[in-house]
C-alpha cells in the first residue's frame, strides 16, 4: 500500500516508519510511506503556511495554496489512484469497519492539519473524506494519521507474523479482546487461569470467546446490540447471565 502523509512536521512519522509492526511493513515493502511538507511549496522568505482567520478569532488557519500543491504532489507519489483524507474532529470517527475498508484502497493521501485547522476551500475541493480518531482536540493531525496508518497496515496480508492476530484483535470480530497472560504462572499471588495451562485448545477457544463476550457485555454493551450472535455466543451469554451475582 502506498501512503503519502502531508504535514509540516514530517519527521513525526518516524514513529511508525522506524518501529514495530508498521516499521517492519515498511522494511518488507508492504507499506510505502512518503512524507510531504507543505512548506516545500511556499515562495516567501518565511515559508508561510498559515495566516490569520477571516472574521477574527484565536489562532491561525492553514493556507490553501501550499496544501493544494502538497496534495497534488502526494497524489502523484501515490500513483494517481488515491483517496484524499483529512484528519480532523469534524470527520467520521474511525472504527474497525472503516479501517478494513481503507485497507482495500490502492493509495491514501493523509492531510494533517495544525493550528485552528485548514482553509475550508481545500476541504471542499480536494479532500474526499474527513476522518476523526475521537471526540477531542489534538494539537495536530499527525498522531491521528499515524493511528490510522497503524490500524490499516495491520490488515495487509503478510504484515502480521501470525495471520490470526488481526482476526483475533479486539473489534476485528466485533467483540473486545479476551484477557492475555504469559510467564510466570504465579505473579504476586495471582495465578494464570487453569484452562490456559491445560493445552485443551477447544476448551481454551471457548473460554476466550466467553471472556470476550463478558468483557464486551460489561464495558461496551452497545457492540452486542449491533452484532448477529452465533448460537454458541447466545449460549455463552446465557451462561454469563446465570453466573452473574444477584
Ligand atoms: N480528534 C482528531 N482526529 O483527527 N484529528 C483530530 C484533531 O483533533 N485534529 C486537530 C484539530 C485542529 C488541529 O489542526 C488538528
Amino acid at each position: 500500500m502506498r501512503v503519502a502523509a502531508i504535514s509540516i512536521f514530517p519527521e513525526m512519522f518516524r514513529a511508525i516508519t522506524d518501529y514495530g509492526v508498521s516499521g517492519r511493513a515498511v522494511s518488507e515493502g508492504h507499506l510505502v510511506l512518503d512524507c510531504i511538507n507543505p512548506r516545500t511549496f511556499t515562495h516567501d522568505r518565511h515559508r508561510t503556511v498559515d495566516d490569520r482567520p477571516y472574521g477574527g478569532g484565536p489562532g491561525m488557519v492553514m493556507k490553501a495554496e501550499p496544501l493544494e500543491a502538497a496534495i497534488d504532489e502526494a497524489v502523484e507519489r501515490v500513483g494517481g489512484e488515491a483517496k484524499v483524507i483529512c484528519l480532523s474532529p469534524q470527520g467520521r470517527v474511525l472504527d474497525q469497519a472503516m479501517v478494513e475498508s481503507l485497507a482495500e484502497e490502492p493509495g491514501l493521501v493523509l492531510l494533517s492539519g495544525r493550528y485552528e485547522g485548514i482553509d475550508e476551500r481545500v476541504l471542499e475541493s480536494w479532500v474526499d473524506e474527513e476522518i476523526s480518531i475521537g471526540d477531542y482536540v489534538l494539537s495536530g493531525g499527525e498522531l491521528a494519521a499515524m493511528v490510522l496508518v497503524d490500524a490499516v497496515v495491520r490488515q495487509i496480508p503478510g504484515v502480521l507474523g501470525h495471520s490470526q492476530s488481526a482476526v483475533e484483535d479486539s473489534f476485528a470480530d466485533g467483540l473486545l479482546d479476551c484477557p492475555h497472560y504469559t510467564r510466570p504462572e504465579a505473579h504476586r499471588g495471582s495465578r494464570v487461569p487453569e484452562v490456559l495451562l491445560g493445552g485443551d485448545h477447544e476448551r481454551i477457544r471457548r473460554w476466550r470467546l466467553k471472556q470476550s463476550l463478558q468483557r464486551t457485555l460489561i464495558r461496551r454493551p452497545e457492540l452486542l446490540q449491533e452484532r448477529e450472535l452465533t448460537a454458541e455466543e447466545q449460549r455463552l451469554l446465557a451462561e454469563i447471565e446465570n453466573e452473574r451475582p444477584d
Side-chain angles (χ1 to χ4, degrees):
M1 167 173 261
R2 294 190 65 94
V3 177
I6 296 173
S7 164
I8 59 171
F9 296 128
E11 59 281 1
M12 284 182 72
F13 287 83
R14 302 289 294 274
I16 54 172
T17 59
D18 293 11
Y19 301 91
V21 167
S22 53
R24 206 170 47 245
V26 170
S27 56
E28 292 174 357
H30 296 293
L31 171 67
V32 176
L33 180 67
D34 281 311
C35 293
I36 296 162
N37 188 335
R39 285 197 202 283
T40 312
F41 306 95
T42 57
H43 309 292
D44 63 304
R45 194 155 58 90
H46 299 294
R47 315 202 71 183
T48 308
V49 290
D50 62 315
D51 204 337
R52 287 173 291 107
Y54 281 116
M60 303 291 272
V61 175
M62 294 192 84
K63 293 171 65 63
E65 302 94 327
L67 287 177
E68 291 173 353
I71 292 171
D72 235 1
E73 171 68 18
V75 170
E76 199 175 315
R77 295 269 191 93
V78 160
E81 277 286 298
K83 190 182 186 74
V84 180
I85 293 167
C86 178
L87 285 303
S88 102
Q90 283 73 42
R92 193 155 56 109
V93 177
L94 187 67
D95 63 13
Q96 186 65 21
M98 289 164 70
V99 165
E100 289 169 9
S101 169
L102 290 169
E104 300 299 318
E105 293 288 338
L108 297 176
V109 171
L110 303 179
L111 184 48
S112 299
R114 281 267 151 179
Y115 315 110
E116 290 307 301
I118 287 168
D119 186 300
E120 187 65 16
R121 290 164 289 190
V122 177
L123 300 172
E124 284 166 354
S125 310
W126 293 75
V127 171
D128 297 315
E129 185 177 3
E130 291 183 74
I131 292 180
S132 169
I133 62 164
D135 294 333
Y136 36 79
V137 179
L138 302 169
S139 309
E142 287 84 1
L143 291 174
M146 287 188 262
V147 163
L148 185 151
V149 170
D150 188 276
V152 167
V153 84
R154 296 172 62 82
Q155 304 303 315
I156 299 172
V159 165
L160 291 179
H162 184 292
S163 60
Q164 270 297 359
S165 303
V167 171
E168 288 167 356
D169 276 354
S170 270
F171 294 100
D173 60 358
L175 296 174
L176 298 189
D177 208 358
C178 61
H180 296 284
Y181 300 85
T182 189
R183 280 180 280 275
E185 275 185 36
H187 173 67
R188 296 179 186 275
S190 173
R191 299 193 59 77
V192 172
E194 280 305 316
V195 62
L196 299 179
L197 305 175
D200 178 337
H201 295 298
E202 174 51 23
R203 195 166 158 244
I204 290 170
R205 181 198 65 79
R206 192 172 173 282
W207 178 86
R208 285 175 168 165
L209 176 58
K210 188 173 180 179
Q211 289 291 316
S212 287
L213 286 164
Q214 184 167 43
R215 188 170 269 193
T216 307
L217 181 64
I218 294 166
R219 299 182 189 183
R220 296 289 303 277
E222 76 281 5
L223 294 177
L224 293 178
Q225 306 305 328
E226 300 152 18
R227 181 183 175 73
E228 201 170 313
L229 296 168
T230 65
E232 180 182 37
E233 290 167 352
Q234 290 174 40
R235 277 198 308 278
L236 290 171
L237 277 171
E239 279 181 29
I240 292 164
E241 291 296 343
N242 291 337
E243 290 160 4
R244 268 191 172 185
D246 296 330

